[in-house]
């Protein structure tokens, strides 16, 4: 119900201040972003810390910027802001699809993209959407080095990422394809907007109205956390986009290659069915959105 | 100020409670500042399902600054009288496991209270809880009630020697000979029947968790006695129990339910471990103590109900007339340690109501409640009847399908038409018109028209369906039934006091938790006494100033409590008539007088005789020359007793569209047709129906208490025990076909309790109807797309194989 | 372990020394004794009964620490009525029977109030979606949705401008 004793609270205004506070705490310090996941862990005493460093006023970590062919989203950008920046997201609509339906609007007022990625909860929306979008993750290592890690390397397993102790996730960025491209994310849960039993994100870059130049398909709801459906991607990359049967085959492939496991509510078979269904829907939506950019 | 032309009873009068609740001025238990600096109690709860307690190390916890005391079961076993005690045990032949407020020697479910930590503040208390070390020695798990019935099963209560806590045949009579004869007769009916439907149904473990959890604040003073504030539905019963358990004279125990309570739905009716511990601690420590339950504790320890298997059979003729019913009910009773209800009262009562609104004179029904290593069943709205409703309404649809008739027609032909009657289990249905309620429903939904639409839709590859569920539900329980069952009375009671300025205070010993008694009881008193409801204040739940009352539960508010209020108001009215008549030299016939617009009128006089304020002042403050036999009192306490249980009835219809490729279903329309007797406030009745239906839907689709193979509870947060949000709930249409109840002074019935009961049946019947071409039958709750899909897959395999 | 904070609640500045780990909901209820905000779940932050506004945005106060509100503006249910005049939402909840036990009501209204500023003309579906973070057990939500809808209409008709966070 209540966190264990916390000795220090810092609310830095810059990344440098944040790092200094972390270093000064001498271990057992944690960064807090939106707190929607961290507070659950602290209140249930799964986690505790001596010093809490609140990033909510580090303005350089906030914002959605689409310029010079790159889209950058600061780690402290709230879900709500991502949703409101749909127009600026360009082809990376899946991120807004995800952000729009996380939890509830109170959660969306506080929760952040960076927080979700750092936490990498086994069933969460933002990591899988970012995985499909092929994001690059900017990390400030505890020793001060800046590093860029591909999202594929960043997400390593449930609750595990490329972040080490004291590392700070600065944001994500994606190269905006020159040609028509878009993405979509959809999920299924027991109640409306619940944590995803299954969530599927699809990103496509078109070579033409009928063919993909690139495709990424990512699935969440698997025991190992969000994962790419590589075989389905390969099918989609070589598919004739006018052929409904091709989409169906991709979706079937995604369901076949993803190993699902039952949870206390839903069986493994139905999860496979959900993968197939959501994949089909998201391919359709992503392709439709991408095609709308063709003149 | 709402003005009403006709009268206050029946008016959509906006609630008196609302202003304070809308502006943050509610006074719920956790808001009260009735004691100074209470100590806070938190419980260490068992982390395992079934084990001996090998050791408990409280030393680190006890040494934490701010911790005042840490107690274990060993510390209290010789200090607190265990349950059962006379005031906490029914008069039914069952097993009532001895238990203390803390686990003694062993734990029997994941979440059982083991240690009580008392500290100066809640954060410290939680720190201390983390420091307590309990060592357990695992015992074999008993998680399946059917397996637990086997003679060689490990036992939850070895001293009792069986896991069967309660077992009873509810039909045929009280003796074994009568029951056997009945069984034989029913067996013969089945043997000769044209059609037999036989299936096994399961209503899963879920409940109706209120938004406000439990809690208690207690203080003890040798002079003032015991003072307890608690979130409870039954303050007078609690008072009785505290007095008995702790040897404090009843007149030195005061229990107050706070003016505002955040829902209960049955959960706050039993006598539980924790409040008993709070009372003990305040006596022991000589300081006030407070316990506010967390949601996690709530989901682990209480709120778990339903959880019944029904092996149900229907015998019918070719036309669909039901000739006989067999139901072997098995309830998973959990650890069964719970004062007053012991887990099994709910399934017992639910089994007694299995025949529902259908005319089935020949039944063979038995109920077996079995102990397991789970939380004891605690009352939840529908009170044990939900799984049985589901089972029978599903079976009736199966019957209809078997004989090729519309389920609506099969239902109607089997509804009870003669009331009053006693059903096969002996439960009395006092009055009502079930067919009228049903006809109102089917008229509204036009079944033949729907069947045509359904055909057209199927041709287009769309699958829509219609399903029904019905429920006869008790509105309160009469003493005639409650005394033999529980050793407790069921009467309604209220004290009405008029003061010298003509305003009224109603005191009811019940403890509402959102039902709007401050409004409805005020409407009743106002109408009878010619006042405005704003002139009537309703005070509840304090044992010091209210008459003994059974509590607010089981829909007794509209039937029992309201009747007592009406009787008391009428008695005072008659008294006033006597004095007014005397003062004006008129005949003292109440029928000649009218109380209206805060004045008193006579049939032969154009002008009002007096105002109500004046006459009250005259009687109380100037009690001279009163009529012979009259005194200055304008206070009256009334007790309303009904000879037999009074019933309400509702019929529900659900329309769904289902997708055979995914198992997804969407509720297109949901309608309830109600007979709730004379309605005091339609707004409140509608709220009760809508809330109850959504609870039923949430129960049916989302909520599920899940224990894993190690007996660990997986649903201890609202992230896992999922409740319907606004986005999950449909709009509910309500029809009325009210018949006045002949046995209450106003013709009211209570309602609210039974509303969730028919919902799962209506929903599942609609889904099965929609997917009829695919030949699935839903037998188990919960119902979700994945489970419907699994049934569809199985049906496909059957068709292929 | 404690920290001096200055929080403006319903327009009044409160300077208090609080433990760092003190939840914002406990600061509001126990330190400031504003008990209109309720708590109904444990650590999960699902029920929404504790919803208040932080700088005009609906947040769950049980999922924040009081220290995080330092220098910020908090609005609770007690701060909604202006000079004794009920907010259209408060009036509408009463008119449309949007509450029974009332335990979820404060949080429901504080969420709905912000929602209507963001979306002054919502459809029923949008209202239902906006209220996912506030669980109610009594009403079945229908009266609540009707109340929010009615309040939206009244506020549109009155031309009520969007209020800045206060």
């Amino acid at each position: 119900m209540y966190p264990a004793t916390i000795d220090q609270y810092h609310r830095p205004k810059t990344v440098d201040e944040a790092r200094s506070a972390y270093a000064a705490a001498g271990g057992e310090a944690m960064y807090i972003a939106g707190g929607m996941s961290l507070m659950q862990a602290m209140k249930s005493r799964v986690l505790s810390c001596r010093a809490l460093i609140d990033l909510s006023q580090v303005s350089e970590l906030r914002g959605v910027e689409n310029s010079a062919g790159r889209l950058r989203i600061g780690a402290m950008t709230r879900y709500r802001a991502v949703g409101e920046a749909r127009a600026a997201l360009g082809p990376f609509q899946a991120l807004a699809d995800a952000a729009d339906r996380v939890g509830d609007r109170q959660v969306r007022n506080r929760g952040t993209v960076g927080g979700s990625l750092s936490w990498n909860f086994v069933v969460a929306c933002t990591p899988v959407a970012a995985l499909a979008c092929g994001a690059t993750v900017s990390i400030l290592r505890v020793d001060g080095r800046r590093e860029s890690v591909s999202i594929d390397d960043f997400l390593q397993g449930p609750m595990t990422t490329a972040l080490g102790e004291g590392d700070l996730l600065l944001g994500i960025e994606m190269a905006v394809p020159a040609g028509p491209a878009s993405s979509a994310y959809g999920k299924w849960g027991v109640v409306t907007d619940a944590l995803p039993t299954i969530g599927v994100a699809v990103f496509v870059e078109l070579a033409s109205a009928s063919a993909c130049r690139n495709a990424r398909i990512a699935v969440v709801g698997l025991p190992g956390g969000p994962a790419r459906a590589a075989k389905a991607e390969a099918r989609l990359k070589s598919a004739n986009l006018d052929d409904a049967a091709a989409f169906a085959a991709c979706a079937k492939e995604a369901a076949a290659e993803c190993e699902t496991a039952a949870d206390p509510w839903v069986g493994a078979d139905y999860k496979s069915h959900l993968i197939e269904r959501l994949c089909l829907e998201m391919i359709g939506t992503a392709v439709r959105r991408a095609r709308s950019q063709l003149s | 100020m709402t003005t009403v032309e006709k009268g206050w009873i029946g008016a959509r009068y906006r609630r008196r409670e609302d202003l304070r609740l809308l502006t943050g001025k509610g006074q719920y238990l956790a808001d009260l500042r009735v004691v100074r600096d209470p100590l806070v109690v938190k419980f260490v709860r068992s982390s395992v399902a079934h084990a001996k307690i090998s050791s408990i190390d409280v030393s680190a916890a006890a040494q934490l600054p701010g911790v005042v005391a840490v107690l274990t079961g060993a510390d209290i076993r010789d200090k607190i009288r265990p349950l059962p005690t006379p005031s906490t045990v029914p008069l039914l032949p069952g097993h009532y496991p001895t238990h203390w407020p803390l686990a003694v020697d062993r734990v029997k479910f994941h979440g059982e209270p083991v240690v009580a930590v008392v500290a100066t503040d809640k954060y410290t208390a939680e720190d201390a809880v983390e420091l307590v070390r309990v060592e357990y020695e695992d015992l074999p798990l008993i998680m399946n009630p059917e397996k637990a019935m086997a003679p060689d099963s490990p036992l939850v209560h070895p001293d009792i020697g069986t896991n069967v806590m309660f077992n009873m045949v509810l039909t045929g009579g009280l003796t074994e000979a009568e029951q056997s004869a009945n069984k034989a007769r029913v067996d013969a009916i089945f043997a000769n029947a044209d059609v037999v439907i036989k299936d096994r149904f399961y209503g899963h473990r879920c409940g109706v968790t209120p938004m406000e959890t439990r809690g208690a604040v207690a203080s003890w003073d040798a002079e003032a006695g015991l003072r307890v504030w608690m979130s409870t539905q039954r303050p007078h019963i609690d008072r009785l129990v505290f007095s008995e358990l702790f040897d404090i004279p009843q007149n030195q125990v005061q229990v107050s339910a706070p003016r505002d309570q955040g829902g209960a739905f049955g959960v706050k009716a039993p006598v539980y471990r924790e409040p008993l511990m709070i009372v003990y601690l305040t006596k022991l420590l000589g300081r006030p103590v407070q316990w506010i339950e967390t949601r996690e504790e709530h989901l682990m320890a209480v709120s778990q109900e339903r959880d019944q298997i029904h092996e149900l059979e229907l015998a019918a003729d070719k036309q669909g007339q039901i000739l006989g019913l067999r139901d072997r009910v098995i309830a998973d009773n959990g650890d069964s340690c719970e004062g007053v209800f012991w887990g099994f009262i709910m399934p017992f009562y639910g089994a007694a109501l299995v025949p529902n609104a259908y005319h089935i004179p020949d039944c063979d029904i038995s109920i077996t409640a079995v102990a397991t290593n789970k939380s004891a069943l605690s009352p939840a709205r529908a009170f044990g009847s939900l799984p049985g409703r589901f089972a029978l309404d599903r079976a009736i649809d199966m019957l209809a399908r078997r004989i090729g008739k519309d389920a609506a027609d099969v239902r109607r032909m089997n509804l009870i038409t003669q009331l009053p009657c006693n059903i096969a289990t002996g439960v009395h249905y006092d009055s009502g018109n079930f067919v009228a309620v049903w006809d109102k429903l089917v008229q509204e939904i036009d079944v033949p028209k729907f069947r045509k639409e359904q055909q057209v839709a199927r041709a287009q590859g769309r699958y829509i369906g219609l399903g029904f569920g019905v429920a006869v539900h008790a509105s309160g329980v009469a003493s005639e039934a409650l005394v033999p069952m529980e050793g407790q009375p069921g009467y309604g009671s209220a004290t009405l006091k008029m003061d010298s300025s003509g305003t009224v205070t109603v005191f009811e010993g019940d403890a509402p938790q959102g039902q709007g008694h401050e409004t409805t009881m005020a409407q009743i008193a106002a109408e009878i006494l010619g006042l405005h409801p704003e002139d009537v204040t309703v005070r509840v739940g304090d044992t010091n100033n209210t008459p003994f009352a059974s509590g607010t539960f089981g829909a007794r508010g509209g039937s029992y409590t309201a009747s007592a209020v009406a009787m008391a108001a009428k008695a005072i009215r008659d008294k006033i008539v006597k004095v007014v008549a005397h003062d004006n030299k008129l005949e003292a016939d109440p029928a000649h007088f009218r109380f209206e617009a805060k004045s008193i009128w006579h049939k032969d006089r154009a002008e009002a005789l007096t105002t109500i304020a004046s006459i009250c002042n005259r009687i109380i403050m100037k009690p001279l020359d009163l009529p012979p036999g009259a005194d200055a009192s304008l206070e009256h306490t009334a007790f309303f007793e009904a000879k037999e249980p009074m019933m309400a009835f509702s019929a529900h219809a659900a329309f769904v569209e289902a997708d055979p490729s995914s198992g997804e279903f969407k509720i297109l329309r949901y309608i309830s047709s109600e007979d709730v007797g004379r309605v005091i406030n339609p707004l409140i009745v509608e709220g009760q129906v809508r809330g109850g239906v959504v609870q039923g839907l949430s129960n049916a689709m989302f909520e599920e208490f899940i224990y894993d193979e190690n007996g660990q509870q997986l649903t201890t947060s609202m992230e896992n025990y999922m409740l319907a949000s606004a986005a999950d709930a449909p709009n509910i249409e309500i029809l009325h076909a009210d018949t006045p109840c002949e046995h209450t002074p106003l013709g009211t019935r209570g309602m609210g309790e039974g509303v969730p009961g028919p919902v799962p049946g209506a929903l599942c019947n609609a889904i099965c109807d929609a997917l009829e071409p695919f030949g699935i039958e839903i037998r188990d709750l919960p119902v979700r797309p994945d489970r419907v899909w699994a049934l569809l897959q199985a049906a496909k395999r059957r068709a292929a194989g | 372990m404690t920290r001096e904070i200055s929080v403006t609640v319903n327009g009044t500045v409160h300077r208090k020394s609080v433990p760092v780990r003190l939840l914002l909901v406990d600061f509001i209820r126990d330190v400031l004794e504003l008990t209109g905000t309720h708590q109904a779940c444990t650590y999960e932050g699902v029920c929404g009964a504790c919803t208040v506004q932080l700088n005009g945005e609906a947040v769950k106060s049980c999922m924040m620490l009081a220290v995080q509100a330092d220098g910020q503006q908090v609005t609770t249910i007690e701060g909604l009525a202006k000079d004794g005049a009920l907010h259209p939402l408060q009036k509408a909840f009463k008119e449309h029977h949007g509450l029974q036990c009332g335990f979820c009501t404060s949080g429901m209204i504080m969420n709905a109030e912000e929602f209507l500023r963001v979306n002054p003309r919502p459809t029923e579906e949008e209202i239902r979606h906006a209220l996912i973070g506030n669980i109610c057990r009594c009403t079945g939500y229908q009266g609540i949705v009707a109340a929010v809808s009615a309040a939206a209409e009244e506020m549109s008709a009155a031309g009520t401008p969007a209020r800045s966070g206060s």
Side-chain angles (χ1 to χ4, degrees), chain B residues 556-572:
Chain B
R556 55 191 300 284
S559 50
Y560 285 83
T561 315
S563 298
V565 171
M567 286 166 63
K570 188 165 179 309
I572 290 176

Side-chain angles (χ1 to χ4, degrees), chain C residues 36-65:
Chain C
T37 303
H38 305 132
Q39 196 161 24
C41 68
T42 324
Y43 53 79
E44 60 264 43
V46 168
C47 80
C50 68
T51 303
V52 299
Q53 290 176 9
L54 181 74
N55 304 325
E57 290 187 340
V59 298
K60 295 175 186 178
S61 61
C62 78
M63 296 294 275
M64 289 184 61
L65 302 174

Side-chain angles (χ1 to χ4, degrees), chain B residues 47-335:
Chain B
S47 57
V48 294
H50 196 202
K52 289 198 190 127
I53 299 172
S54 319
S55 68
I56 305 179
D57 182 358
V58 305
S59 52
Q63 285 157 30
L64 197 66
V67 173
V68 168
V70 184
L71 275 74
T72 69
D75 295 324
I76 60 156
R77 77 178 301 167
D78 298 319
K79 302 279 178 21
I80 304 179
R81 185 176 289 139
L83 263 57
T85 59
S87 68
T88 58
V89 70
L91 303 176
L92 292 169
H95 292 292
Y96 302 99
T98 300
H99 66 281
W100 285 264
L102 298 174
V104 169
D105 295 338
R106 50 169 57 197
V107 293
K108 299 171 301 310
F109 73 97
H110 176 210
E112 180 170 351
V114 178
V115 178
V117 171
V118 190
T120 50
D121 71 280
K122 56 195 183 188
Y123 283 67
T124 304
E126 191 163 312
D127 293 340
V129 160
E130 297 282 303
L131 294 175
V132 173
R133 294 276 167 273
V134 187
E135 298 277 322
Y136 296 104
E137 197 188 303
D138 283 336
L139 292 169
L141 289 177
I142 304 140
M143 301 307 295
N144 180 305
E146 287 177 293
K147 293 205 183 110
M149 287 165 68
D152 57 349
S153 166
L155 297 173
V156 178
H157 299 287
D159 50 326
I160 289 177
T162 173
N163 288 321
V164 176
M165 295 291 109
F166 181 75
N167 183 64
M168 191 178 269
V169 172
L170 299 182
T171 46
L174 296 173
T175 68
E176 226 179 282
E178 286 172 317
Q179 292 165 4
S180 298
N182 179 66
K183 180 179 184 316
R185 209 182 61 250
V186 172
D187 286 349
I189 289 171
F190 271 82
N192 294 318
D194 294 327
V195 185
V196 172
I197 302 291
K198 181 184 160 86
D199 224 315
R200 180 185 156 104
F201 300 92
Y202 178 60
H204 68 297
R205 185 168 274 245
C206 58
V208 283
T209 52
M211 290 310 289
E212 184 199 27
T213 56
R214 300 177 297 155
V217 177
S219 80
W220 160 258
D221 177 285
E223 207 274 319
L226 176 67
R227 191 81 180 75
V228 182
W229 297 260
M230 59 191 285
S231 195
T232 176
Q233 297 173 243
R234 318 184 76 195
H236 281 274
I237 301 296
D238 296 318
R239 175 190 190 226
L240 182 56
V241 172
F242 295 148
S243 162
E244 178 187 69
L245 224 69
F246 296 101
D247 287 319
I248 308 168
Q250 247 191 94
N251 64 359
Q252 288 176 35
V253 179
Q254 182 181 0
V255 177
S256 305
R259 185 188 64 183
D260 299 309
Q261 297 200 71
F265 313 110
V267 168
K268 297 174 182 173
V271 172
Y272 291 116
R273 297 168 170 90
E274 296 89 347
L276 300 179
M277 196 61 202
I278 299 322
V279 170
Y280 174 69
L281 284 167
T282 192
K283 280 201 79 192
L284 178 74
L285 300 172
R287 292 173 62 176
V289 285
Q290 176 194 71
W291 169 66
I292 304 293
E293 182 184 42
T294 69
R295 179 63 57 189
E296 183 178 40
E297 295 184 280
H298 187 89
L299 291 172
M300 294 180 84
V302 297
S303 252
Q304 304 189 9
E305 210 243 29
R306 308 4 182 162
D307 210 349
Q308 298 170 17
I309 297 162
H310 285 251
E311 289 180 348
L312 186 98
E313 301 173 68
L314 291 180
D317 66 22
K318 282 196 277 274
Q319 278 70 48
Q321 197 77 47
I322 299 172
L323 305 170
L325 175 152
R326 286 202 278 240
D327 194 359
R328 184 167 168 264
V329 186
I330 298 172
D332 185 337
N333 214 45
D335 86 337

Side-chain angles (χ1 to χ4, degrees), chain A residues 1-5 40 43-45 121 188 190-192 194-195 264-267 269-270 273-274 277, chain B residues 42 122-123 126-127 130 294 661-662 664 702 704 706 714-715 719-720 722-723 727-728 784-786 789:
Chain A
M1 189 88 170
Y2 315 111
T5 300
Q40 284 184 333
K43 287 167 66 177
S44 60
R45 304 210 177 191
F121 189 60
W188 185 98
V190 175
V191 292
T192 307
L195 293 169
W265 297 272
V266 183
D269 284 349
Y270 195 71
H273 159 83
L274 286 171
R277 193 169 107 213
Chain B
K42 280 210 172 270
K122 56 195 183 188
Y123 283 67
E126 191 163 312
D127 293 340
E130 297 282 303
T294 69
S661 72
S662 64
E664 293 275 8
F702 311 129
E704 196 181 351
I706 303 175
L714 303 183
T715 43
E719 211 161 58
N720 293 335
M722 289 171 269
L723 301 172
D728 301 306
R784 281 199 296 262
D786 57 302
W789 183 83

Side-chain angles (χ1 to χ4, degrees), chain C residues 94-152:
Chain C
K94 175 166 173 163
E95 181 62 24
H96 296 272
H97 196 39
L99 66 155
Q100 291 180 27
C101 85
F103 207 70
C104 75
T105 306
S106 306
M108 189 78 70
I109 289 180
M110 295 317 288
N111 182 19
E113 196 278 334
E114 189 214 350
F115 169 66
L116 289 181
R117 275 186 278 123
V118 170
N119 187 346
R121 288 185 160 75
T123 63
E124 178 180 331
E125 197 182 325
E126 286 168 342
I127 294 173
R128 286 181 175 276
H129 188 253
L131 300 179
I132 286 176
N134 293 90
I135 302 295
C136 171
R137 238 16 303 235
C138 294
T139 68
Y141 302 104
Q142 198 162 336
I144 292 174
V145 174
V148 174
S149 199

